[in-house]
Amino acid sequence: MNVFILNRIKLETSHYPLRKTREYTIGIYSSLDKTYKALQAYVVDDSYKLWEKKYTMGFIVRETKLDDKLAWGISIHTYTKTGEPNDELFIADEEYPDWDKPFYGRPKEKIRFKPGDIVEVYQGNESELSIICHTTLSTEEFEEYKAWWEKRGVLPENGTRFDSTDDCYLTYSIGIGDTHNHPGAAYIFAPTRKVPAKLRFQLQAKLIEENYTSGHDLQISELPFAKDPKILDEVLNIWEKVVETKDYNEMRCLTIREKGDWIKAELNFSEKQSQRFDRIYEECIRLVNEKRENKTSKPN
């Protein structure tokens, strides 16, 4: 028998970019329909509207089997703090609950976000402000993969090499170095409060920076903020901190294949910003070469 556990996601702290959360169980039900009806009754209750709504991020429903050892359950359904459907994730196959469910991509209308969107990623005991880099796989993209597998004779009997863990986005959070995450689609929410301009600039700059540092294929010209001088200043701030911290991996990725001129050609740097970039880039190359020389000069 399957049961559906309805939890409220309470905000324990209120300030972005990272907010502590805690889950409180509202009820356990025998069907998703009954769970949804209970949720609708909950969000219109006077007590919720007066005291709890302000401190609620959203709601999460976990479907699981009774007497089942599977930790992640069968499916996840999330809802906004007003009780509206947010997203869903189908984790395991009903017939084979210990296996990850095959994934064949999502219809485009079910992909809620696009690169450059700022979101909140729910991670169990906290929620972190992040920016979308890549979306989950669409059904059209899946068909391209399928044709590639068929051509090479590696297409499994179930028709896919993807499973439920691939129904996820690629996101970045604020920070120096690799801050990427692969949250499942159901764990991503639109921001529940206004995002301060400073944090928005930092996230947008992080996305641009990682596009070049980590080698993503974003169409920079399609990002409406990519030519904003304030954002570009923040991109340079990030790279300066990479140099200060001597983050070898970040510097190596930035300078690999001598792509400095390409970066300058893509970004609308002012003359002053371009000069600043040149200094950063040259220092990155110097430090990377120094690191390599130290490695090769060490005795065996």
Side-chain angles (χ1 to χ4, degrees):
M1 177 182 175
N2 290 8
V3 293
F4 297 79
I5 304 169
L6 171 60
N7 283 359
R8 170 183 167 235
I9 304 171
K10 180 188 175 186
L11 293 166
E12 297 284 291
T13 55
S14 60
H15 296 295
Y16 283 149
L18 188 67
R19 305 198 287 182
K20 297 296 182 182
T21 63
R22 183 177 296 182
E23 289 188 25
Y24 290 89
T25 300
I26 295 172
I28 303 175
Y29 305 91
S30 59
S31 71
L32 186 60
D33 183 58
K34 289 181 179 180
T35 309
Y36 183 70
K37 288 178 181 177
L39 174 58
Q40 297 310 302
Y42 187 87
V43 297
V44 298
D45 185 87
D46 287 340
S47 178
Y48 174 72
K49 289 190 291 184
L50 285 172
W51 305 108
E52 296 180 353
K53 185 177 179 181
K54 180 180 178 182
Y55 302 103
T56 298
M57 179 185 172
F59 299 88
I60 184 166
V61 176
R62 292 182 176 85
E63 177 189 6
T64 188
K65 285 182 176 292
L66 289 178
D67 304 319
D68 187 9
K69 65 186 172 98
L70 190 65
W72 298 108
I74 301 295
S75 70
I76 297 289
H77 304 262
T78 51
Y79 301 84
T80 68
K81 65 179 183 179
T82 57
E84 298 168 355
N86 181 62
D87 214 327
E88 56 193 8
L89 186 63
F90 297 96
I91 301 170
D93 195 298
E94 283 282 356
E95 294 183 19
Y96 307 100
D98 290 334
W99 295 1
D100 290 323
K101 192 175 182 67
F103 180 56
Y104 304 94
R106 280 185 173 226
K108 285 186 176 179
E109 62 271 17
K110 288 194 173 184
I111 298 177
R112 297 179 296 131
F113 301 106
K114 63 184 184 301
D117 285 348
I118 293 175
V119 297
E120 287 190 59
V121 176
Y122 178 58
Q123 304 175 93
N125 61 354
E126 61 187 25
S127 169
E128 186 165 21
L129 211 57
S130 302
I131 191 165
I132 300 291
C133 181
H134 284 300
T135 69
T136 185
L137 194 73
S138 70
T139 50
E140 290 86 351
E141 290 170 324
F142 168 76
E143 289 300 324
E144 294 177 9
Y145 278 103
K146 184 178 177 182
W148 192 90
W149 295 329
E150 286 177 331
K151 185 177 179 180
R152 287 156 181 77
V154 293
L155 183 68
E157 187 177 341
N158 66 7
T160 182
R161 297 176 69 87
F162 294 123
D163 59 40
S164 56
T165 62
D166 296 300
D167 189 6
C168 64
Y169 287 70
L170 170 60
T171 65
Y172 282 94
S173 56
I174 294 170
I176 303 303
D178 186 2
T179 64
H180 87 279
N181 192 7
H182 292 284
Y187 298 104
I188 301 178
F189 291 78
T192 55
R193 55 173 290 193
K194 185 177 179 179
V195 177
K198 180 180 179 181
L199 297 181
R200 185 174 72 252
F201 291 161
Q202 289 177 329
L203 284 165
Q204 291 169 340
K206 183 65 179 176
L207 180 62
I208 294 173
E209 179 256 331
E210 286 293 346
N211 183 60
Y212 299 107
T213 305
S214 296
H216 298 304
D217 57 355
L218 294 174
Q219 297 297 314
I220 290 298
S221 60
E222 295 180 7
L223 298 175
F225 50 82
K227 295 185 182 298
D228 186 329
K230 293 180 181 178
I231 305 298
L232 296 179
D233 274 339
E234 187 59 37
V235 172
L236 293 170
N237 289 342
I238 295 172
W239 278 329
E240 280 184 341
K241 289 177 182 175
V242 166
V243 172
E244 287 174 12
T245 58
K246 296 187 177 181
D247 188 322
Y248 174 72
N249 287 332
E250 291 287 299
M251 290 189 294
R252 182 181 59 81
C253 291
L254 175 63
T255 58
I256 196 169
R257 290 189 293 274
E258 300 291 330
K259 57 188 179 185
D261 289 339
W262 169 56
I263 294 173
K264 286 201 295 183
E266 287 220 323
L267 297 178
N268 191 34
F269 283 144
S270 67
E271 183 178 351
K272 184 177 179 181
Q273 288 172 330
S274 186
Q275 292 171 352
R276 187 180 168 198
F277 174 79
D278 286 340
R279 289 194 297 271
I280 294 168
Y281 196 78
E282 288 170 7
E283 183 64 6
C284 279
I285 291 176
R286 187 188 71 79
L287 290 169
V288 167
N289 289 337
E290 183 180 277
K291 179 83 170 181
R292 287 172 179 164
E293 289 171 5
N294 289 340
K295 281 185 176 180
T296 56
S297 63
K298 285 182 179 179
N300 293 330

